[in-house]
Amino acid sequence: MTNIDVPLTATTTEREDEADALTIGRRIRQLRTARGMTLDELAAAVERAPSQLSMIETGKREPKLTLLRAIAKALGATVDQLLEAEPLDERATLEIALERAMKGPTFRALGIEPFRIGKTIPDDALRALLALQGEIERLGDERSATPEEARRANVELRHLMRRQDNYFAELEEHARAILRAVDHPGGPLTQRTASDIAAHLGFSLHYVADLPASTRSVADIKHGRLYLSSTVPAKGDSRTAVLQALASRILGHAEPRSYAEFLRQRVETNYLTGALLIPEDHAVPVLLDAKSRRALSIEDLRDAYSVSYETAAHRFTNLATRHLGIPVHFLKVHESGTITKAYENDDVNFPADRLGSIEGQLCCRRWTSRAVFDIPDKFNPYYQYTDTGNGTFWCTARVETSSEGAHSVSVGVRFDDTKWFVGRETTNRGVSRHAVEVCCRRAPAELESQWRDQAWPNVRTPRTLLATLPTGAFPGVDTTDLYEFLEAHAPRG
């Protein structure tokens, strides 16, 4: 998550400082040449060695304020003129951009040593070099956006969430500040309040029928317009789409530079949306009261804030360990048995691949998350104790449907923490040994011997199994479709 504790890159400030030094140096050089002064003449005027001024003009050294004043005086300019953000002309812009690129990772990876950009190098040559550098970076991004890279990024993000008990104070404060700005009293957040938040951030809401198929919403930052689909799914929540779109603006998200950053932005967006729908300051007293009565319930949290079961389950994992002292795990499992989302800080042993990735693995069919699909009662929650090689866990689960099929959403805790929850008296029990033996991953020997040579299924292979992840500035989004949509809907005049 780009705004959470650990920045994605530790050199952002260094690069900004370097860019400033380049801009200042290039401005000094252009003012000097415009006045017909040689480097030696300027050096003599400010009583410095020519080599020192050369280092400043090429951006390799940033001048102190006293020297900057002396240079400005010698050039008949002001310090403000030397510190202006914009370069003097297009040539300076090109030179600065290329010098910055030569010091970047792409040129270094190719073994290209930085060279002096002389006056004889044509502008077109500079543009060509910058275009080639941009294309090399784009191709590199495409190659890195593989399923393996995605799994690695997901594992790193899950480790961060586990270290922080899935609680991020900075995002909670963002939510608190926004709700305070629109005078939200607490409790369920209404559609009107979601619209008030949009207005507070300078956006008007526009519901359209031709939203690009690859998007959930589109923000026209230039005109302050937020486009959403005029068709809300039967079980959809119109507030969620608005808040998820606004969350990126609240957090100042920029175009992701890697799949890891894209993934973290998604997690941040979902976290902040949950924090707005279920505010920490209002929900924590409710949860503490329920714990004191030994009546914690995801269903009650869902109903109290008029959110989906999945949103309530996610939000519970944010608050449970920090405020209730309860380690917890969360699973979302597709009806095929595939794990699509997972989180734990209670030492439950999820199935994982060699990279440590949980998502995409088959959930043990003995677990609550799989057993719930076989329960005919879809109205009431399903509770189950599961004995594992790593202890006994209790879970509560529900099945929800979507355009992608049915999913189970479950929240679980270790046996010792079951005493705080509604449903602890259940007699449902399962035994899973997936962590220490084959368990349910291999058919019983009798069935296998009977059918191994007599069965030939036509496998339904997921479309993404053999493909790389979607590429582009925002993975999966058709940018041509996006830009044509914005152009068609932009206000005229």
Side-chain angles (χ1 to χ4, degrees):
M1 303 181 183
T2 52
N3 291 321
I4 295 176
D5 290 349
V6 184
L8 287 177
T9 57
T11 58
T12 302
T13 302
E14 294 173 7
R15 287 202 307 270
E16 289 174 350
D17 291 343
E18 180 181 81
D20 289 342
L22 280 171
T23 304
I24 293 169
R26 197 50 47 86
R27 184 169 291 278
I28 290 172
R29 181 200 291 178
Q30 293 206 1
L31 285 173
R32 173 177 63 77
T33 55
R35 284 155 177 71
M37 295 180 68
T38 65
L39 187 64
D40 290 342
E41 290 172 344
L42 180 58
V46 298
E47 299 180 346
R48 292 291 193 279
S51 59
Q52 184 178 355
L53 282 189
S54 178
M55 294 278 284
I56 291 172
E57 287 192 350
T58 55
K60 296 176 182 176
R61 178 179 297 175
E62 189 170 357
K64 294 182 179 179
L65 184 58
T66 52
L67 178 55
L68 203 60
R69 285 173 177 159
I71 292 172
K73 182 178 180 181
L75 295 175
T78 65
V79 172
D80 286 343
Q81 284 178 287
L82 299 182
L83 296 177
E84 285 179 19
E86 294 300 322
L88 286 175
D89 53 31
E90 183 186 4
R91 173 72 183 198
T93 303
L94 291 171
E95 290 183 0
I96 290 173
L98 185 55
E99 287 191 29
R100 207 176 298 163
M102 286 192 290
K103 296 176 182 178
T106 300
F107 273 67
R108 289 201 302 268
L110 294 173
I112 299 176
E113 293 293 330
F115 55 85
R116 181 177 176 276
I117 304 173
K119 297 178 182 179
T120 58
I121 300 179
D123 290 2
D124 287 343
L126 301 184
R127 293 191 190 95
L129 287 170
L130 289 169
L132 287 171
Q133 184 242 2
E135 183 64 8
I136 290 170
E137 290 186 348
R138 186 188 69 80
L139 293 172
D141 289 342
E142 285 192 2
R143 284 196 298 270
S144 66
T146 63
E148 181 171 321
E149 181 68 19
R151 291 198 300 273
R152 289 185 190 278
N154 205 37
V155 169
E156 291 175 6
L157 180 56
R158 182 161 44 80
H159 287 169
L160 171 64
M161 295 164 70
R162 192 182 195 281
R163 287 196 301 272
Q164 300 194 188
D165 295 324
N166 205 21
Y167 177 86
F168 296 96
E170 182 177 344
L171 297 180
E172 299 287 354
E173 185 53 42
H174 275 299
R176 192 174 291 115
I178 289 295
L179 293 173
R180 191 186 305 124
V182 296
D183 297 322
H184 179 57
L189 187 141
T190 64
Q191 179 68 32
R192 180 186 294 275
T193 305
S195 298
D196 290 342
I197 293 174
H200 171 71
L201 296 171
F203 285 90
S204 58
L205 303 182
H206 302 266
Y207 293 89
V208 297
D210 61 338
L211 196 71
S214 58
T215 66
R216 296 176 181 176
S217 63
V218 173
D220 180 348
I221 301 172
K222 180 179 180 181
H223 299 105
R225 296 160 71 92
L226 179 59
Y227 297 101
L228 302 116
S229 175
S230 56
T231 304
V232 179
K235 293 191 176 182
D237 185 341
S238 55
R239 300 169 304 167
T240 300
V242 174
L243 295 176
Q244 285 180 333
L246 297 173
S248 291
R249 309 319 314 155
I250 295 170
L251 298 173
H253 286 162
E255 181 178 308
R257 294 164 294 177
S258 65
Y259 189 82
E261 187 171 356
F262 167 76
L263 189 60
R264 291 184 67 167
Q265 288 182 359
R266 286 289 298 275
V267 171
E268 283 186 335
T269 294
N270 290 334
Y271 189 111
L272 183 55
T273 298
L276 290 168
L277 289 168
I278 306 178
E280 179 182 30
D281 294 344
H282 192 272
V284 169
V286 172
L287 291 172
L288 287 171
D289 175 66
K291 183 184 179 187
S292 71
R293 295 183 286 107
R294 297 181 178 237
L296 286 173
S297 166
I298 304 301
E299 285 76 15
D300 289 350
L301 188 64
R302 173 200 64 187
D303 296 342
Y305 293 93
S306 302
V307 296
S308 69
Y309 186 85
E310 183 176 351
T311 296
H314 269 301
R315 191 64 176 135
F316 185 79
T317 68
N318 299 149
L319 305 175
T321 307
R322 174 60 62 97
H323 294 290
L324 307 179
I326 301 176
V328 65
H329 69 264
F330 167 95
L331 266 184
K332 183 175 181 180
V333 177
H334 187 258
E335 58 188 335
S336 64
T338 305
I339 298 173
T340 59
K341 290 183 183 179
Y343 164 76
E344 62 82 22
N345 69 345
D346 60 357
D347 296 322
V348 67
N349 200 337
F350 288 139
D353 65 10
R354 62 183 181 82
L355 298 176
S357 179
I358 296 168
E359 287 77 6
Q361 299 300 299
L362 276 178
C363 178
C364 178
R365 53 195 308 125
R366 316 295 184 199
W367 280 11
T368 312
S369 306
R370 293 285 299 277
V372 67
F373 285 109
D374 298 326
I375 304 303
D377 181 2
K378 303 302 182 186
F379 182 77
N380 293 302
Y382 175 70
Y383 308 111
Q384 177 180 303
Y385 288 96
T386 307
D387 300 320
T388 77
N390 204 32
T392 298
F393 294 85
W394 171 92
C395 292
T396 174
R398 272 192 177 276
V399 174
E400 295 186 331
T401 59
S402 69
S403 60
E404 299 173 350
H407 287 83
S408 70
V409 175
S410 61
V411 172
V413 296
R414 297 190 69 86
F415 179 83
D416 291 344
D417 288 314
T418 306
K419 59 189 175 186
W420 308 117
F421 290 83
V422 171
R424 59 186 175 274
E425 68 284 350
T426 184
T427 58
N428 298 321
R429 202 169 194 107
V431 177
S432 170
R433 299 297 181 209
H434 83 277
V436 293
E437 56 188 65
V438 174
C439 189
C440 63
R441 298 192 186 192
R442 179 176 296 171
E446 183 179 347
L447 283 176
E448 185 168 6
S449 63
Q450 182 176 351
W451 291 105
R452 178 78 182 258
D453 298 327
Q454 304 300 322
W456 188 265
N458 184 13
V459 182
R460 179 187 293 175
T461 306
R463 288 182 295 117
T464 57
L465 181 65
L466 303 177
T468 59
L469 290 166
T471 58
F474 297 92
V477 174
D478 185 331
T479 51
T480 300
D481 195 14
L482 171 66
Y483 299 150
E484 287 179 348
F485 168 85
L486 286 171
E487 182 64 23
H489 284 272
R492 306 302 176 189

